[in-house]
């Protein structure tokens, strides 16, 4: 028996570029989303136009609530589950040293790691994040807990052991030898990745190769991991890492990478060109299942190379504000043709809820100024007012695209798997009253856009009443059980 979810539906239909999102915005104020028993979308449209063949389906009436595609968070850190708002006394590298490496080391304790995994999946469900690319722990037992929990709850997840083969003393518990790093990655892929095509078509979880960033590994680690990646690439294994996040002059991450590797660009280190002078030393990690986090300080050549290889960017505005990293230049990056999806970077970011990341995204780009020294854009005013459909796209369909799952999820096109969330304004008075009381322009398109803008920008987690993956409503575990109370 199919189920029809009735409510105010929004999604970005088809497969547009971000610049085409407004033309692809589908809105059904009294809408119907018909989902079959396998969790596949049979129909989406106006309730009054529901075809006769679906009239007999069970109806779940989400009266007064919004039905949106499930949120996709393309960059977050599992071992930082309790790190949000850690005071590091500095920017990225100080924060890693003082707060993050010691915190992540705590997952060496299996009981701590088990509780962290339960909490992680609970947080995703509570935030309506139906799919995420998750930087993993250095400890394989912690990764096992995470995958087990994701599998038993039925949530989508791509993750991989966070690899570090070099680093400061504070990271000593996280650092492994190159041989061990390769062994961990291989074991994780063999254990948790759907290696054959048929299993992959139905699977919700996958594995990624995850060197923490170029400063946490060496050219020989990158060469060894590149061999592993190349071996499994065609089986749909992912790659993710950080790129050009923090560029504080002289001591920032970007300059340090270039100085240590003596390469022309940071991206070269992930593109097999990690030897001095950007000579080729191994296999490239770039491709349609590769996601680079941040990309705040990229050269035009790096953006062009990401576009060419269909590598996506996880844009993490909340984290970039927190760590003083600047912001990814929206216009330049879009003009270069790179797919941009949203990421929390939790615990660099302190926000789990994708609409709040989209809220920050809007604010940083309407205030955007080009960082000094990036040519050929000498003018510093890069301000733009992102369209609400572009925001919705960035938090949903762009994420599915970044994870190479656009054929299966990301919007409500017929035949896709039904990942969606319910946002109910009656659960938050200010949201409810604003949406009722706000000025509604006479022009229907302006009214539509203004309303969707408010739906996204004002949304808070407390209004989220349902998270569905493949048509199934996900539950959180009891918080008492999870904290051992
Ligand atoms: N670069 C290397 N590691 C990290 C991390 O844990 N968080 C962020 N934001 N950047 C990183
Ligand atoms: Zn990160």
């Amino acid at each position: 028996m199919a189920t029809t979810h009735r409510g105010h539906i929004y999604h970005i239909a088809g497969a547009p570029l971000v610049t085409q999102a407004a033309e692809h915005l589908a809105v059904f104020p009294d809408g119907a989303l018909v989902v079959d028993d396998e969790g596949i979308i049979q129909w989406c449209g106006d309730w009054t136009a529901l075809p006769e063949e679906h009239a007999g389906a069970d109806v779940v009436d989400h009266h007064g609530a919004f039905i949106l595609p499930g949120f996709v968070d393309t960059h977050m850190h599992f071992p930082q589950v309790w790190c949000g708002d850690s005071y590091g006394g500095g920017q990225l590298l100080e924060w890693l040293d003082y707060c993050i490496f010691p915190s992540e080391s705590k997952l060496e304790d299996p009981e701590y790691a088990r509780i962290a995994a339960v909490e992680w999946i609970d947080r995703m469900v509570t935030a309506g994040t139906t799919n995420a690319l998750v930087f993993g722990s250095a400890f394989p037992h912690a990764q096992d807990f995470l995958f087990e929990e994701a599998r038993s709850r039925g949530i989508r997840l791509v993750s991989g052991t966070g690899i570090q083969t070099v680093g400061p003393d504070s990271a000593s518990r996280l650092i492994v030898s190159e041989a061990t790093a390769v062994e961990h990655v291989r074991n994780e892929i063999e254990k948790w990745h759907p290696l054959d095509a048929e299993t992959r078509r139905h699977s919700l979880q996958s594995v990624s190769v995850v060197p923490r960033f170029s400063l946490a590994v060496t050219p020989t680690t990158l060469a060894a991991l590149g061999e592993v990646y190349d071996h499994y690439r065609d089986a749909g294994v992912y790659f993710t890492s950080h790129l050009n996040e923090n560029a504080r002059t002289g001591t920032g991450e970007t300059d340090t990478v270039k100085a240590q590797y003596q390469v022309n660009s940071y991206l070269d280190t992930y593109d097999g060109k990690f030897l001095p002078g950007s000579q080729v030393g191994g296999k490239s990690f770039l491709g349609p299942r590769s996601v680079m986090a941040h990309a705040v300080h990229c050269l035009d050549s790096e953006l062009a190379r990401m576009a060419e290889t269909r590598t996506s960017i996880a844009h993490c505005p909340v984290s970039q504000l927190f760590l003083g990293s600047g912001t990814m230049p929206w216009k330049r990056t879009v003009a270069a043709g790179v797919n941009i999806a949203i990421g929390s970077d939790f615990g660099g970011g302190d926000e789990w809820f994708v609409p709040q990341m989209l809220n920050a995204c809007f604010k940083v780009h309407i205030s955007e100024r080009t960082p000094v020294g990036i040519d050929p854009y000498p003018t510093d005013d890069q301000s733009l007012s992102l369209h609400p459909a572009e925001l919705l796209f960035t938090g949903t369909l762009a994420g599915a695209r970044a994870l190479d799952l656009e054929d299966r999820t990301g919007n409500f096109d017929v035949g896709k798997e039904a990942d969606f969330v319910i946002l109910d304004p009656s659960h938050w008075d200010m949201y409810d009253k604003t949406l009722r009381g706000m000025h509604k322009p006479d022009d229907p398109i302006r009214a539509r856009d203004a309303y969707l803008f408010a739906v996204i920008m004002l949304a808070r987690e407390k209004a989220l009443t349902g998270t569905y993956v493949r048509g199934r409503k996900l539950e959180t575990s009891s918080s008492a059980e999870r904290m051992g109370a």
Side-chain angles (χ1 to χ4, degrees), residues 247 249 255 258 296-300 329 332 369-380:
T249 314
D255 281 351
K258 285 188 195 157
V296 171
H297 308 281
C298 287
L299 305 167
D300 284 347
R332 259 182 80 216
R369 301 289 178 273
T370 304
V372 178
I374 303 271
D375 287 331
Y377 296 89
T379 143
D380 75 347

Side-chain angles (χ1 to χ4, degrees), residues 463-481:
L464 194 131
T465 55
T467 302
Y468 293 73
V469 169
R470 233 189 236 154
R472 214 181 114 248
K473 188 169 185 188
L474 306 187
E475 303 294 339
T476 55
S477 66
S478 119
S479 52
E481 178 194 328

Side-chain angles (χ1 to χ4, degrees), residues 81-269:
V81 60
W82 291 300
C83 290
D85 290 323
S86 298
Y87 181 63
Q91 295 196 1
L92 174 67
L93 298 181
E94 294 85 2
W95 172 79
L96 287 173
D97 202 14
Y98 293 128
C99 305
I100 297 306
F101 295 150
S103 300
E104 293 196 3
S105 302
K106 291 172 71 122
L107 276 81
E108 191 171 14
D109 171 1
E111 184 54 13
Y112 186 94
R114 187 190 64 78
I115 296 171
V118 176
E119 172 75 9
W120 185 267
I121 302 298
D122 275 345
R123 294 292 329 152
M124 283 180 62
V125 174
T126 308
T129 302
T130 53
N131 199 356
L133 175 53
V134 180
F135 255 64
S137 165
F139 305 106
H141 60 253
Q143 287 301 101
D144 285 345
F145 286 130
L146 183 68
F147 276 113
E148 275 160 18
E149 196 62 29
R151 185 174 285 185
S152 76
R153 301 274 201 100
I155 201 163
R156 292 184 200 272
L157 179 100
V158 181
S159 186
T161 306
I163 299 298
Q164 283 182 257
T165 54
V166 288
D169 287 350
S170 58
S172 61
R173 314 293 312 155
L174 308 173
I175 293 171
V176 295
S177 70
E178 250 154 49
T180 304
V182 166
E183 191 188 321
H184 284 175
V185 174
R186 276 189 189 280
N187 288 348
E188 190 172 27
I189 292 171
E190 292 287 338
K191 186 166 184 180
W192 292 109
H193 190 76
L195 285 167
D196 68 277
E198 186 52 24
T199 320
R200 203 152 53 243
R201 271 174 8 113
H202 304 288
S203 166
L204 297 176
Q205 293 88 34
S206 292
V207 173
S208 178
V209 175
V210 188
R212 177 166 211 126
F213 64 160
S214 299
L215 296 180
V217 291
T218 65
T220 50
T221 317
L222 288 171
L225 291 178
E227 289 302 320
V228 179
Y229 188 62
D230 204 54
H231 180 77
Y232 289 106
R233 182 192 269 272
D234 291 344
V237 169
Y238 292 82
F239 173 80
T240 191
S241 195
H242 296 93
L243 174 74
N244 286 319
E245 176 180 1
N246 192 286
R248 209 168 49 178
T249 314
T251 57
E253 171 216 18
T254 299
D255 281 351
T256 312
V257 169
K258 285 188 195 157
Q260 271 188 22
Y261 282 84
Q262 295 171 43
V263 284
N264 303 329
S265 79
Y266 192 159
L267 189 71
D268 282 348
T269 62

Side-chain angles (χ1 to χ4, degrees), residues 75 77 242 294 345:
H75 183 66
H77 293 259
H242 296 93
H294 299 288
D345 197 22

